[in-house]
Amino acid sequence: MVELKVGDRRVLGRGDFPAFFAALRDAGYDVIGPTIHDGAIVYDRLTRVEDLPIGWTDRQGPGKYRLERRGDQALFGYNVGPFTWKKFLYPPRERLWTAYRDGDAFSIEPEPVDGPPLAFLGMRACELAGVRVTDRVFQGGPVADPGYSARRSRLLRIAVECGEAGANCFCVSMGTGPGVGADVDLVLTEILEPGPHRFLLRVGSPAGAEVLARVPLTPAEPTDGQIAEAIVERTAGSMGRTMNTEGIRDLLRNNLEHPRWDNVAKRCLACTNCTMVCPTCFCSTQEEVPDLDVSKVERWRRWDSCFNLAFTELHGSSVRKSGLSRYRQWLTHKLGTWNDQFGSSGCVGCGRCITWCPVGIDLTEEVAAIRKSPGATAAAATKGGSP
Amino acid sequence: MPVHKPRVAVWKFASCDGCQLTMLDCEDALLAIADKVEIANFREASSAVVEGPYDLSLVEGSVTTPEDVRRVKEVRAESRVLVTIGACATAGGIQALRNFADVDEYRRLVYAQPQYIETLATSTPIADHVPVDFELRGCPISKAQLLEVISAYLTNRAPNVPNESVCIECKRRGNVCVLVAHGTPCLGPVTQAGCGAICPAFHRGCYGCFGPQGSPNVPSMLKELGELGMAPLPMYRVFRTFNAMAPAFRSAADSAVSEEDAP
Ligand code: SF4
Ligand code: SF4
């Protein structure tokens, strides 16, 4: 068998997909991928190919999500669901360390960060971009987060190029998809027709090449490449939404008193769903959990959100009391000041915050409304600022 | 911490005892507490009563009789820290529905000898009568939060009981949103977390047992419930339950129906 190199392309037949799946498990990976749970496609541990949502798709709208049968047996014929890969790299609740008291002294035991290497099967282009963002957040500073870094260093990223765009997708606007670039381990493009159901496979890294060593593959014909390109092009041309990002940081910064913030605040429930489902929202709160005689104290971290009143609580009161100030903080950070802080937008255009907002607030619409009348102010509403 | 074992008392006003039972349900953790504290008064567990003062009083139930009004002041006077537990003690409970009705009429309908029944026209939370140090929500309260509150007060720190929405618990737990994915009306976005998002985990909408979250947007929630197909009367009813007197839920019910349609 010839050794595969980075950049090589091969064809994997649908019939050989189980062999590919088995190769991942044989290589010691815990395979995490899409599967149906409670009426949605979520990411979870997969034990066999049949765990994938074969023949299913999702219909999405603002505040709306429904599963539907497809007319074919596609393995990846849907877009992104309510959960993101972040929950495996950065769990919703995580113990960081435990402290033990010993008389007047105390000792700290760090939390072990072992566990099997993970293979994320079916990452979309926007989601790869999302992990690049969280990489910068958790590892880009002077101190890297130990848990995130340990899990991330053992991660195999297997991407799928989207064959269709969802109604809330706008990766093209954010420059993150739907085509997958070079920073990845393996890329699949699912080809349903013409010809047999198959996948064009592209090798992105030596780790990706390694798992393919014993998988039956055939050479890729030039037409396979052309078909895959056409699929990605068609997806790119059918984005459900667009967002004009030109000068967006300054647009938002110069419109902090725009009446649209008040309009959106009337609808916003301050429920946190948008931040929970966003692949890049990373805020957390730390809590100490002592036992009753304080001989042992555990430090836990759990997902928090800028939509929570307590998020900015200082001396018993919140800095951002109004819903307006919280929505504005979220959007101006995500699309604007994120650039100053991390060198990119915080939004990868996945559309999750639109779908999973119970009242269907759509950030692309909010930005467009501000762009339509920049500089507008509601004199009465802005008197003394909006705390 | 005081030199003596801290003395904890549990008091009952108008309630179903469910919150006290939550405490008994803490089993192993309760044994650990029993070892660290002196349980001075806990009728659900033991009939022994130790005289006050108490370091921590946990108060269940609402104030519904003139006798309650007197007794709650006594409890306060004897307690260094007073924590109210459950929807009855923090919002008046389901029995606060009387606040919207004619109690005399109830009295005549329910009791053969109504003249022997001495009751107030309203059911009110403990905090309406005496200063309360902390209100622990829920119908019933959550075990974990109860232990957190006890441990916090026994170690002189603030309890870690967030006033965020149920939605964040759903997401941390991995529940698929029943409102977005199933079209099920759900009070999660306006309700305070604490239960662990139990109902959505079983495909039901949230019933609001923990009362309003820290910053509930009632008008937007009502509009969304309407768009999900909920008629005004069911919308009114869903807010007239265990936390009917909590101001945000009270106004939600009031604005769900027009005055003449209100039952
Ligand atoms: S802000 Fe919304 S669209 Fe952008 S990455 Fe987050 S969830 Fe996706
Ligand atoms: S924008 Fe939507 S999802 Fe986000 S906090 Fe407001 S209501 Fe909730």
Side-chain angles (χ1 to χ4, degrees):
Chain A
M1 191 162 288
V2 256
E3 286 240 337
L4 289 168
K5 301 183 309 300
V6 172
D8 281 353
R9 286 159 178 249
R10 290 290 184 277
V11 165
L12 171 71
R14 168 63 182 90
D16 290 321
F17 201 86
F20 170 58
F21 192 89
L24 293 171
R25 290 174 53 95
D26 291 347
Y29 289 104
D30 243 5
V31 182
I32 314 285
T35 190
I36 291 179
H37 171 72
D38 283 349
I41 294 169
V42 304
Y43 298 145
D44 209 342
R45 288 202 158 65
L46 308 181
T47 54
R48 51 200 192 116
V49 177
E50 290 71 29
D51 290 341
L52 290 167
I54 300 174
W56 286 92
T57 193
D58 48 16
R59 287 274 164 271
Q60 306 194 27
K64 216 166 169 194
Y65 180 101
R66 292 291 183 277
L67 288 182
E68 267 175 28
R69 275 270 174 215
R70 291 175 61 92
D72 57 36
Q73 293 297 303
L75 266 49
F76 299 99
Y78 37 84
N79 295 102
V80 296
F83 295 101
T84 66
W85 308 98
K86 81 176 172 188
K87 75 173 195 178
F88 299 98
L89 295 174
Y90 162 49
R93 269 178 65 75
E94 186 179 13
R95 184 167 48 214
L96 301 179
W97 44 256
T98 307
Y100 296 91
R101 187 157 72 173
D102 181 14
D104 286 339
F106 68 96
S107 58
I108 289 182
E109 216 169 79
E111 192 64 16
V113 281
D114 39 17
L118 303 177
F120 290 171
L121 172 63
M123 296 182 81
R124 308 305 171 118
C126 62
E127 300 183 313
L128 285 162
V131 171
R132 287 197 293 275
V133 172
T134 51
D135 282 353
R136 286 191 288 275
V137 171
F138 287 107
Q139 315 187 115
V143 180
D145 184 81
Y148 182 93
S149 302
R151 291 180 284 264
R152 176 68 178 85
S153 67
R154 296 192 290 259
L155 175 66
L156 191 77
R157 292 165 301 161
I158 306 163
V160 169
E161 292 187 310
C162 291
E164 276 159 43
N168 293 335
C169 291
F170 58 105
C171 60
V172 168
S173 300
M174 302 316 291
T176 57
V180 171
D183 183 16
V184 62
D185 297 298
L186 287 172
V187 190
L188 299 163
T189 315
E190 183 166 27
I191 302 174
L192 295 160
E193 49 159 30
H197 187 176
R198 64 199 188 280
F199 299 86
L200 180 65
L201 233 170
R202 201 167 81 222
V203 179
S205 77
E210 210 172 298
V211 295
L212 295 178
R214 276 183 303 276
V215 180
L217 301 168
T218 55
E221 304 297 332
T223 48
D224 293 319
Q226 285 155 12
I227 295 169
E229 261 165 47
I231 290 173
V232 172
E233 209 170 297
R234 194 185 61 209
T235 304
S238 61
M239 288 285 126
R241 315 217 156 231
T242 57
M243 185 157 74
N244 177 357
T245 60
E246 202 195 314
I248 195 163
R249 178 181 162 281
D250 292 338
L251 175 78
L252 295 176
R253 197 186 51 185
N254 296 333
N255 282 284
L256 296 178
E257 302 297 339
H258 198 281
R260 185 70 186 190
W261 299 115
D262 195 43
N263 176 303
V264 67
K266 288 210 167 70
R267 288 170 279 140
C268 175
L269 296 162
C271 63
T272 77
N273 278 303
C274 49
T275 53
M276 293 295 107
V277 299
C278 178
T280 69
C281 274
F282 60 85
C283 284
S284 64
T285 186
Q286 261 72 239
E287 99 184 80
E288 258 92 53
V289 186
D291 62 2
L292 277 171
D293 57 5
V294 205
S295 58
K296 185 182 112 184
V297 179
E298 296 179 346
R299 171 167 278 209
W300 284 82
R301 171 168 73 187
R302 63 167 197 270
W303 287 357
D304 200 356
S305 167
C306 52
F307 283 88
N308 282 336
L309 210 48
F311 188 75
T312 56
E313 197 170 274
L314 296 169
H315 303 293
S317 179
S318 294
V319 175
R320 293 188 205 111
K321 281 201 184 60
S322 67
L324 183 157
S325 60
R326 280 175 267 156
Y327 186 85
R328 183 176 59 189
Q329 160 63 24
W330 177 68
L331 198 72
T332 53
H333 184 221
K334 182 73 46 183
L335 301 175
T337 48
W338 202 289
N339 288 283
D340 306 318
Q341 196 180 0
F342 299 112
S344 76
S345 175
C347 176
V348 297
C350 71
R352 283 182 175 90
C353 57
I354 309 171
T355 304
W356 298 96
C357 171
V359 291
I361 293 172
D362 172 354
L363 77 172
T364 67
E365 215 175 72
E366 299 311 314
V367 169
I370 290 176
R371 198 180 281 283
K372 216 170 106 197
S373 57
T377 52
T382 59
K383 264 234 189 82
S386 353
Chain B
M1 262 202 271
V3 202
H4 67 275
K5 274 196 192 177
R7 213 175 262 176
V8 177
V10 184
W11 308 95
K12 175 187 159 64
F13 287 80
S15 63
C16 76
D17 284 26
C19 291
Q20 291 189 64
L21 291 176
T22 301
M23 190 159 176
L24 283 179
D25 198 27
C26 291
E27 295 168 356
D28 291 357
L30 191 64
L31 290 178
I33 294 173
D35 197 40
K36 304 273 175 352
V37 303
E38 181 182 0
I39 309 276
N41 179 32
F42 186 8
R43 294 296 178 86
E44 275 284 359
S46 150
S47 54
V49 178
V50 181
E51 292 271 299
Y54 310 99
D55 294 291
L56 171 63
S57 275
L58 300 170
V59 180
E60 179 198 78
S62 67
V63 172
T64 60
T65 66
E67 164 65 9
D68 288 346
V69 177
R70 191 190 57 73
R71 199 159 58 94
V72 73
K73 296 201 170 106
E74 270 178 31
V75 169
R76 175 69 267 190
E78 289 289 304
S79 311
R80 187 170 63 85
V81 173
L82 190 156
V83 172
T84 52
I85 58 170
C88 300
T90 60
I94 190 82
Q95 61 273 28
L97 292 180
R98 70 159 73 170
N99 303 6
F100 310 103
D102 180 356
V103 172
D104 279 336
E105 195 187 326
Y106 282 180
R107 199 170 6 202
R108 279 195 305 275
L109 286 172
V110 175
Y111 298 97
Q113 305 282 334
Q115 68 272 26
Y116 295 121
I117 303 297
E118 197 181 7
T119 185
L120 299 171
T122 55
S123 166
T124 42
I126 302 295
D128 280 10
H129 303 272
V130 295
V132 168
D133 296 289
F134 189 80
E135 296 191 304
L136 185 63
R137 305 271 201 83
C139 184
I141 52 170
S142 115
K143 263 200 255 190
Q145 288 195 335
L146 177 65
L147 291 170
E148 164 61 15
V149 166
I150 295 175
S151 136
Y153 282 104
L154 295 181
T155 54
N156 288 314
R157 62 180 176 86
N160 198 336
V161 176
N163 61 0
E164 59 205 17
S165 73
V166 172
C167 301
I168 198 167
E169 286 200 301
C170 268
K171 290 296 185 290
R172 288 198 203 108
R173 176 180 177 149
N175 287 348
V176 169
C177 179
V178 298
L179 191 157
V180 170
H182 311 163
T184 303
C186 175
L187 299 191
V190 291
T191 300
Q192 181 167 306
C195 63
I198 304 169
C199 292
F202 292 94
H203 308 167
R204 305 291 297 260
C206 165
Y207 292 95
C209 306
F210 278 60
Q213 61 125 312
S215 56
N217 185 342
V218 164
S220 181
M221 183 82 254
L222 290 175
K223 185 163 177 281
E224 179 58 27
L225 292 175
E227 274 161 26
L228 291 166
M230 209 177 197
L233 201 54
M235 215 188 288
Y236 165 91
R237 288 200 172 118
V238 83
F239 284 106
R240 279 275 198 267
T241 61
F242 335 102
N243 290 287
M245 278 298 279
F249 283 9
R250 186 181 178 172
S251 87
D254 287 344
S255 24
V257 287
S258 59
E259 227 161 273
E260 51 274 19
D261 290 342

